[in-house]
Amino acid sequence: MLRKIADFIGRNHLLDHAQKHIVALSGGADSVALLLVLKQLDYDIEVAHCNFQLRGTESVRDEQFVVSLCKKLSVPYHLIHFDTNIYASLHQVSLEMAARDLRYRYFEQLRQDIGAGEVCVAHHQDDAVETLLLNLIRGTGIHGLTGIRPRNGHVVRPLLCVSRMEIVSFLDTAGQDYVTDSSNLVPDVVRNKLRLQVIPLLKQISPAASENIARTAARMAEAEQIFNQSVRSALSELYVDGTVEIASLLRQPSPQYLIHELLTPFAFTPAQTVQVFEALSGPSGRLFQSPTHELVIDRERLVIEKRSEPVSPLVIPETGTYRLGEVLRFCFEVVEDTTVSRTADLATVDADKADFPLTVRLVQAGDRFHPFGMKGSRLVSDYLTDRKRNLLQKRRQLVVTDGSNRIIWLVGERTDQRFAVDGQTSRVLRIKKLSC
C-alpha cells in the first residue's frame, strides 16, 4: 500500500519532500492511516485537528486521541474548537456545510501561518465512488462523473488510490487503533445511505462494483481532459469581447452545453443556462441576471457584462468638476469660444439656453430629446435602438439635463438641437466626460 500511495503521489505531483505539509487528522481510520503513511514516506508533516463540538463526549474523545497519537509519533499538532451550530444558524447552512466551510478556511489560514505547502485530507477510493453516485442521482454532467480530484488548489488527497478495506487492513497490520464516528454508522443522510445500504447492495450484484465504478471515474477524468480542451477551444472562438454570435453558437455540436460552460463562471445557475438556450429562438431583448453579471439576447448576439452599481443622479449647481461614481468625472465650464465640438466626450451648447442646476443621470423611460441636426423630437430609447445599442447599453446611458429637466446632451452620443450653438451665441457651456 505504501508503494501504491507513493506512486500515486508522484504521478499526480501532490507533495514535495522539500516542503512542510499539513495532515487533517480527525482520529478516524482514514486520517490515521494517512498520517502513518506520510510519516513512513518521510514527509515533513504537522497535524491539524478540528473539534466541531457536535458529538458531545465523542468530540472530546477524538481530540484526546489525536493529541496522544501525535505525541507518540512526535508530530507537531494544532487544535481548534468551532461552535458549528452557531455558524450554521448565522449563515443559514446545514451543519455538514458549516463544518466544511470552517475546517477548510482554518486549514488554509494555518497553511499560510506556518508556511506549509499542501493540506492533506484522507478521502479514499470509496469516498470517490460515493461522490460519483451522489452526483449521479442528483443529476450531473461529465465533471460530476469523475468522482473526487486528487488536488483542489492546495488541498490534496493521497489516499484516493486505495480502498477503505486496504486502509483498515494496513492499520490492523500496524497494530494501530483509531476512533469511530458513531454518526457515520446511521443511514440518516444521503451519503450514509449510499455507504451503508446502496453500495453493499451493488456489491451483492457485482463484488467488484466499487473498483469498477472507481475505474470508470478515472476513465471519465481522462475523457474530461479532452472534453475540456475542446470546450475551451470552442469558447475561445465564440466568446469575443463579451459577446457570442448566436448563429456560430448554434452551429456547434452541443450549443446548450457550451452555454452552460460559458455562463457557469459568471454565476448563472443551471436552470438559467437552459432558459437562455430556449430563449435563443425567441424575440430579441430578453434579459437574464446572476448575482454578478447580466446577459441580454441582442439580435444576433449574446451580450454578457458585469453588473454595475446603481448610479444616483448627480446635481450640478454651478460650473466645476464633479465625480460620478468610481470611474467618471464631468467638467463643466463656460467659455467665449463658440467652436462646436466634434468629439463624443465633449459637448458644446449655448450657455444662455441651459438653466442651472444641471443634472447628470441615467436615461429614464419616456425621455425625449431633439437630436442635433434632426427635425422634431425622438424617444431616447428609439434613437438608441437606431444606433444599434443593446439593452444593457441603453440602461447605462447617461443624459445631462437642465433645471427644467430638458435633455441637453445624450452623453457620448448627441446634443439637443434646442441648446445648439448658433449665430446669436456669445457664451458656450462645455461639458466634458472624463475617466477617473
Side-chain angles (χ1 to χ4, degrees), residues 319-388:
T319 57
T321 299
Y322 298 82
R323 185 174 183 138
L324 181 68
E326 297 296 322
V327 295
L328 287 180
R329 289 179 296 142
F330 283 86
C331 178
F332 299 82
E333 61 176 343
V334 174
V335 299
E336 295 183 358
D337 181 358
T338 59
T339 303
V340 176
S341 169
R342 302 292 183 186
T343 62
D345 289 338
L346 174 63
T348 48
V349 299
D350 192 316
D352 294 319
K353 297 176 182 176
D355 301 324
F356 278 82
L358 308 182
T359 301
V360 182
R361 62 169 173 81
L362 291 172
V363 68
Q364 298 172 353
D367 272 346
R368 302 185 75 92
F369 82 129
H370 295 71
F372 178 76
M374 300 173 65
K375 293 182 179 180
S377 69
R378 296 205 65 194
L379 283 169
V380 171
S381 61
D382 290 343
Y383 175 86
L384 293 174
T385 297
D386 290 345
R387 296 278 291 164
K388 299 191 183 304

Side-chain angles (χ1 to χ4, degrees), residues 230-263:
S230 177
V231 169
R232 284 194 297 268
S233 177
L235 290 181
S236 67
E237 294 179 8
L238 290 169
Y239 184 59
V240 180
D241 296 329
T243 67
V244 175
E245 187 179 284
I246 293 174
S248 298
L249 172 64
L250 293 177
R251 285 195 293 268
Q252 298 295 318
S254 182
Q256 183 171 349
Y257 197 88
L258 284 177
I259 289 175
H260 173 80
E261 289 295 308
L262 171 66
L263 298 184

Side-chain angles (χ1 to χ4, degrees), residues 11-296:
R11 189 165 61 253
N12 291 280
H13 311 290
L14 300 184
L15 299 174
D16 184 347
H17 274 100
Q19 288 186 300
K20 178 191 302 178
H21 304 292
I22 295 171
V23 174
L25 182 62
S26 68
D30 309 331
S31 62
V32 170
L34 177 62
L35 174 65
L36 295 185
V37 165
L38 295 185
K39 186 168 177 60
Q40 291 184 42
L41 291 177
D42 202 28
Y43 284 100
D44 183 4
I45 53 178
E46 294 190 15
V47 157
H49 175 76
C50 301
N51 186 335
F52 298 104
Q53 303 186 85
L54 292 174
R55 295 180 290 115
T57 56
E58 270 197 11
S59 294
V60 176
R61 176 208 63 185
D62 294 354
E63 180 177 318
Q64 292 174 343
F65 175 85
V66 165
V67 170
S68 176
L69 180 60
C70 288
K71 288 180 178 179
K72 174 185 173 183
L73 299 176
S74 300
V75 175
Y77 60 90
H78 308 266
L79 307 175
I80 189 168
H81 291 197
F82 294 117
D83 196 327
T84 313
N85 280 302
I86 289 180
Y87 181 92
S89 176
L90 287 173
H91 293 82
Q92 296 185 325
V93 296
S94 67
L95 286 174
E96 183 181 17
M97 185 57 68
R100 176 185 171 81
D101 289 348
L102 288 167
R103 71 172 171 267
Y104 281 112
R105 287 182 186 179
Y106 170 65
F107 291 158
E108 176 56 23
Q109 186 60 59
L110 178 62
R111 188 189 70 81
Q112 295 180 30
D113 289 346
I114 68 174
E118 317 300 341
V119 177
C120 307
V121 295
H123 293 112
H124 49 74
Q125 187 181 89
D126 295 46
D127 293 319
V129 170
E130 292 167 13
T131 298
L132 186 151
L133 293 174
L134 192 61
N135 292 340
L136 188 62
I137 61 178
R138 288 174 174 171
T140 188
I142 188 172
H143 305 304
L145 296 177
T146 59
I148 302 176
R149 300 176 188 277
R151 173 185 290 277
N152 182 11
H154 287 289
V155 176
V156 297
R157 302 176 174 91
L159 299 187
L160 279 181
C161 59
V162 295
S163 68
R164 168 76 177 190
M165 186 178 297
E166 290 176 282
I167 288 172
V168 172
S169 178
F170 169 78
L171 293 175
D172 288 344
T173 301
Q176 176 62 57
D177 59 346
Y178 50 87
V179 296
T180 300
D181 182 346
S182 61
S183 65
N184 290 332
L185 304 178
V186 181
D188 53 349
V189 296
V190 177
R191 185 175 287 275
N192 282 3
K193 290 177 181 177
L194 288 172
R195 179 184 303 131
L196 300 174
Q197 297 176 340
V198 175
I199 292 178
L201 181 59
L202 291 175
K203 288 182 177 180
Q204 289 181 25
I205 299 171
S206 171
S210 290
E211 291 79 1
N212 291 338
I213 293 172
R215 276 194 290 270
T216 298
R219 294 190 191 103
M220 292 301 295
E222 293 295 322
E224 182 190 36
Q225 295 184 39
I226 301 172
F227 174 83
N228 286 343
Q229 184 177 2
S230 177
V231 169
R232 284 194 297 268
S233 177
L235 290 181
S236 67
E237 294 179 8
L238 290 169
Y239 184 59
V240 180
D241 296 329
T243 67
V244 175
E245 187 179 284
I246 293 174
S248 298
L249 172 64
L250 293 177
R251 285 195 293 268
Q252 298 295 318
S254 182
Q256 183 171 349
Y257 197 88
L258 284 177
I259 289 175
H260 173 80
E261 289 295 308
L262 171 66
L263 298 184
T264 297
F266 298 130
F268 288 92
T269 66
Q272 285 179 305
T273 65
V274 173
Q275 292 169 358
V276 170
F277 176 72
E278 292 174 345
L280 295 182
S281 57
S284 178
R286 183 81 180 272
L287 176 69
F288 298 87
Q289 293 181 318
S290 79
T292 59
H293 286 75
E294 295 180 305
L295 177 149
V296 65

